[in-house]
Amino acid sequence: MTQDSSNDLKSWFVQEKRSFPWRDAPSPYAVWISEIMLQQTRASVVVGYFMRWMKLFPSIEAVAKAPVEELIKAWEGLGYYSRVRNIQKAAIFLQEKGSELPASLQELLELPGIGPYTAGAIVSFAFHQKAAAVDGNVARVISRYYGLEGEVKRSLLEEKTSLFLPEEEPWVVMEALIELGATLCQKTPKCKECPLQSSCEAHLQEKTEFIPAKKKKQDSIYLHKQVFIIMHEEEVLIEKKKEGQVLGGLMEFPSFPYSNEQEFIPSHFSFLMEWVEDLPQEKQSFTKYQVDLSSSIFRALEKKDIDGYKWIKIDSLTSLTFSSGHKRILQRLLEVNII
Ligand code: SF4
């Protein structure tokens, strides 16, 4: 049954597959970068980012040597900036060893930022070996195809995925499973168009609504922050979030837990400043945090250096990479025409 099904899926994929640059020329490096970019973003959106990245950083060596700010700038909009830092850490590690990306799952898993899915994808698509690459799409297809109800362990999904892969050209069927999950076997599946409909357990038992079992949503943490846009002549005070912190490496205006005190000014800004204007409230969300950002513009009457912050020329601000909420605040700031 599985052999016929994987043949059917392969024929469907050969006919229907979407063309993407990382598919058309699947070098190990291209597969690695594309798979990291695809982790939270739709393939159609990733295409532009991927093309730009490959032009700017065409090799592992180029990534290893690039200033991290340039990598973060090229990643801007994809979010999850720890991923881009891990790409560089892995590239530096490989350069120091004088090697390319390895073809073994074990060795790939030792590189920063490469987990079981990405390692499986590189081994399968770039090195054409039999390897299970189980992402959310594959987990959905495999759970439904085998009728796996309730919470299913990753090891079982990998085992079932491997069962599905033929000995001949297993990488084509692996990619077909991903494509099926991305196009037909979505949350609401299009079973009538699916090449697996005659043997898919969830479809035959009318259980597609319940398989895979819904995951419990992680509770969000709500925060409210006061953002200080402090200007002095042609400069604005900016904080670069420390590496290792949430949003590490990104730029933000100084911010502190919101206070109802009207005259609230953080104590370590020990210089005189006057309030100029409030900006509309913005929202920011990252990982489990939902943050309301109330921002105000202030004019500093004197300029002092403060640990952890930098005075940056106003006309350089747009070339920096801000976190998403603070990027919107920067746009508001530019719109009010105060600078
Ligand atoms: S038959 Fe339906 S549920 Fe089963 S794999 Fe195809 S699209 Fe998914």
Side-chain angles (χ1 to χ4, degrees):
M1 178 172 79
T2 306
Q3 186 60 49
D4 287 346
S5 300
S6 69
N7 284 343
D8 292 344
L9 181 61
K10 190 173 171 183
S11 311
W12 168 83
F13 180 61
V14 170
Q15 294 241 320
E16 302 291 332
K17 70 174 174 182
R18 296 166 298 170
S19 165
F20 294 119
W22 51 87
R23 271 186 184 162
D24 301 341
S27 71
Y29 175 60
V31 173
W32 176 31
I33 298 301
S34 63
E35 289 300 338
I36 302 286
M37 286 183 170
L38 285 162
Q39 279 175 14
Q40 298 287 334
T41 313
R42 275 180 298 121
S44 55
V45 177
V46 164
V47 172
Y49 283 97
F50 176 80
M51 300 296 278
R52 199 162 50 248
W53 179 279
M54 295 309 267
K55 212 169 165 190
L56 290 169
F57 317 110
S59 63
I60 291 174
E61 187 186 359
V63 174
K65 286 184 176 162
V68 69
E69 290 75 17
E70 284 181 20
L71 299 174
I72 288 177
K73 192 74 192 158
W75 202 264
E76 191 176 6
L78 288 169
Y80 299 89
Y81 291 92
S82 58
R83 289 180 186 159
V84 75
R85 278 190 291 276
N86 278 333
I87 288 176
Q88 187 173 47
K89 280 184 201 157
I92 291 170
F93 176 81
L94 291 170
Q95 279 289 291
E96 284 173 353
K97 271 180 57 181
S99 66
E100 293 293 319
L101 276 167
S104 103
L105 278 178
Q106 211 60 39
E107 287 177 65
L108 283 166
L109 286 169
E110 284 167 15
L111 295 173
I114 296 194
Y117 168 73
T118 311
I122 294 170
V123 167
S124 178
F125 309 149
F127 293 110
H128 288 180
Q129 295 177 26
K130 186 170 176 175
V134 179
D135 68 349
N137 285 323
V138 174
R140 194 164 52 252
V141 175
I142 290 294
S143 300
R144 284 174 170 164
Y145 180 80
Y146 289 103
L148 307 176
E149 297 185 48
E151 204 177 311
V152 183
K153 282 202 171 129
R154 184 178 178 88
S155 54
L156 180 60
L157 289 168
E158 284 178 349
E159 191 188 309
K160 294 283 185 190
T161 304
S162 296
L163 272 182
F164 202 93
L165 301 179
E167 292 308 316
E168 199 179 310
E169 298 188 320
W171 61 94
V172 181
V173 175
M174 189 61 254
E175 198 152 22
L177 281 169
I178 294 176
E179 186 78 343
L180 188 74
T183 56
L184 296 184
C185 194
Q186 294 172 324
K187 193 173 167 208
T188 306
K190 298 174 187 156
C191 300
K192 283 189 182 150
E193 299 168 42
C194 179
L196 303 182
Q197 58 178 288
S198 62
S199 49
C200 169
E201 289 294 333
H203 173 59
L204 296 173
Q205 295 178 32
E206 299 185 359
K207 286 185 174 174
T208 56
E209 203 183 321
F210 312 107
I211 300 177
K214 287 185 181 60
K215 280 200 184 132
K216 260 198 186 166
K217 247 191 154 183
Q218 199 185 21
D219 289 338
S220 294
I221 297 176
Y222 291 92
L223 302 173
H224 187 179
K225 288 196 166 184
Q226 175 70 50
V227 179
F228 290 80
I229 303 164
I230 304 172
M231 301 168 54
H232 183 266
E233 296 176 358
E234 299 297 302
E235 294 178 318
V236 180
L237 197 62
I238 297 295
E239 177 185 11
K240 183 175 178 186
K241 306 299 275 185
K242 287 195 186 72
E243 301 292 340
Q245 276 184 339
V246 186
L247 303 176
L250 299 183
M251 300 295 181
E252 291 200 336
F253 298 101
S255 66
F256 300 89
Y258 184 81
S259 166
N260 281 326
E261 287 174 44
Q262 255 187 343
E263 297 298 319
F264 171 73
I265 301 278
S267 55
H268 54 301
F269 292 160
S270 56
F271 45 79
L272 289 172
M273 54 186 177
E274 57 187 25
W275 172 86
V276 177
E277 186 171 339
D278 291 336
L279 294 179
Q281 190 159 303
E282 298 289 347
K283 288 195 182 296
Q284 180 174 32
S285 54
F286 51 92
T287 60
K288 60 189 175 200
Y289 295 99
Q290 305 282 339
V291 191
D292 283 327
L293 298 169
S294 299
S295 43
S296 306
I297 303 171
F298 295 84
R299 197 172 295 283
L301 304 180
E302 54 186 335
K303 180 181 163 184
K304 280 189 184 171
D305 289 333
I306 300 170
D307 238 16
Y309 298 88
K310 264 188 177 171
W311 291 99
I312 304 271
K313 285 261 183 255
I314 288 162
D315 50 16
S316 309
L317 290 178
T318 50
S319 65
L320 303 176
T321 306
F322 280 79
S323 67
S324 60
H326 286 246
K327 189 174 180 183
R328 284 193 292 279
I329 293 171
L330 173 60
Q331 277 156 3
R332 296 272 190 190
L333 179 66
L334 298 173
E335 280 161 22
V336 295
N337 219 2
I338 205 157
I339 51 181

